[in-house]
Amino acid sequence: MRTWQVGDVMTRDVATVQEATPYREIVDVLVRRGVSGAPVIDGFRRVLGVVSEADLLHKIEHSGEPEQRRIFESRRRRGARGKADALLARDLMTAPAITTYAEASLPEVARQLDRERVKRLPVLDDLGRLVGIVTRGDLLRVHLRTDAEIREDVVQEVLHRILAVRDGLVTVQVRAGEVTLAGRVDRRSAADLAGRLAARVSGVVRVSNTITFDVDDTALVEAGRVTPLA
């Protein structure tokens, strides 16, 4: 069963800057493209870092401050002051960049964004070259799939292709991404698996599984008398 990957939702036309791009030009790129950050790339489109609005705002934050250094200045404050004085992307960017790949799953990238506390991830190909960028907003595009598209995947991929359930045994209703399964199958393990697999279909927000069964084979599975469904 195919689920959406980063390559399905990422932006391919990426706003980028070079190491030697000056401050004012970086600001122009971000404003003109309507983005809050841009990868810094070299001549081979390898990502060296990311420069964001937060990196650029240090210059405004420290504007007009007297040139003084604290004896016990935190690393964060030293870094902010250094970026306030910087003029080129190489000195403004946050490096190394946290990246991902087009084949990564959406849940995997969502966890990565949350864990790293970043808003965007440059997307690389197998050679480490920039091919796109994925943001938190991009991950939500999966929930723009229509109910009809979601239902088609549940019926064709889950019920027919994987579980080989005949037409008429299970009904599938989808409303606003919420899937309701009803009907009857031969084994409890098949009913349970139908619910678990339906939940993995891209765009599904919740599954209500009311499928009943003829035989509760879970006890036999635990005893090793039958082979469990994957």
Side-chain angles (χ1 to χ4, degrees):
M1 181 177 64
R2 183 186 181 280
T3 55
W4 280 27
Q5 300 175 325
V6 167
D8 297 313
V9 300
M10 70 182 185
T11 298
R12 298 180 183 274
D13 180 19
V14 186
T16 62
V17 297
Q18 304 286 328
E19 284 185 278
T21 302
Y23 182 96
R24 289 289 296 273
E25 190 174 328
I26 298 171
V27 173
D28 179 68
V29 169
L30 298 190
V31 172
R32 178 163 39 85
R33 295 293 299 272
V35 296
S36 60
V40 182
I41 60 173
D42 64 14
F44 299 97
R45 292 191 66 79
R46 292 176 300 200
V47 178
L48 308 174
V50 174
V51 62
S52 68
E53 290 175 333
D55 296 318
L56 300 176
L57 284 173
H58 291 305
K59 189 173 292 295
I60 298 175
E61 177 187 352
H62 294 280
S63 176
E65 283 191 354
E67 288 296 324
Q68 60 180 7
R69 297 292 185 268
R70 299 179 181 180
I71 297 177
F72 299 107
E73 193 171 45
S74 69
R75 177 183 300 177
R76 180 181 179 278
R77 184 173 177 83
R78 286 197 304 272
R81 190 179 293 279
K83 290 187 178 184
D85 296 333
L87 296 175
L88 302 178
R90 68 166 63 94
D91 303 314
L92 289 159
M93 69 184 184
T94 298
I98 302 167
T99 61
T100 188
Y101 294 90
E103 297 77 19
S105 69
L106 301 193
E108 175 187 346
V109 172
R111 289 190 293 268
Q112 188 178 7
L113 286 168
D114 182 64
R115 182 175 64 251
E116 302 294 345
R117 297 182 180 179
V118 295
K119 297 180 179 179
R120 69 197 66 78
L121 293 176
V123 183
L124 310 181
D125 65 11
D126 293 339
L127 298 178
R129 298 170 303 192
L130 181 71
V131 294
I133 195 164
V134 62
T135 67
R136 294 172 179 177
D138 292 329
L139 298 185
L140 297 178
R141 291 184 191 175
V142 67
H143 293 298
L144 296 179
R145 300 189 74 203
T146 67
D147 290 343
E149 291 172 327
I150 294 172
R151 184 182 184 280
E152 180 72 9
D153 278 357
V154 173
V155 171
Q156 297 301 328
E157 293 295 316
V158 175
L159 297 181
H160 290 174
R161 189 177 70 83
I162 297 179
L163 297 179
V165 175
R166 300 193 310 274
D167 286 335
L169 295 182
V170 174
T171 62
V172 180
Q173 293 183 331
V174 184
R175 178 176 296 179
E178 297 186 17
V179 176
T180 300
L181 302 176
R184 192 175 188 88
V185 294
D186 56 349
R187 295 190 290 172
R188 178 176 180 175
S189 57
D192 292 343
L193 186 57
R196 293 199 303 272
L197 292 178
R200 298 180 189 175
V201 171
S202 297
V204 172
V205 298
R206 185 169 64 178
V207 174
S208 175
N209 186 3
T210 62
I211 299 175
T212 58
F213 47 86
D214 296 325
V215 178
D216 184 352
D217 60 332
T218 55
L220 298 178
V221 168
E222 292 174 358
R225 295 170 58 184
V226 298
T227 302
L229 292 173

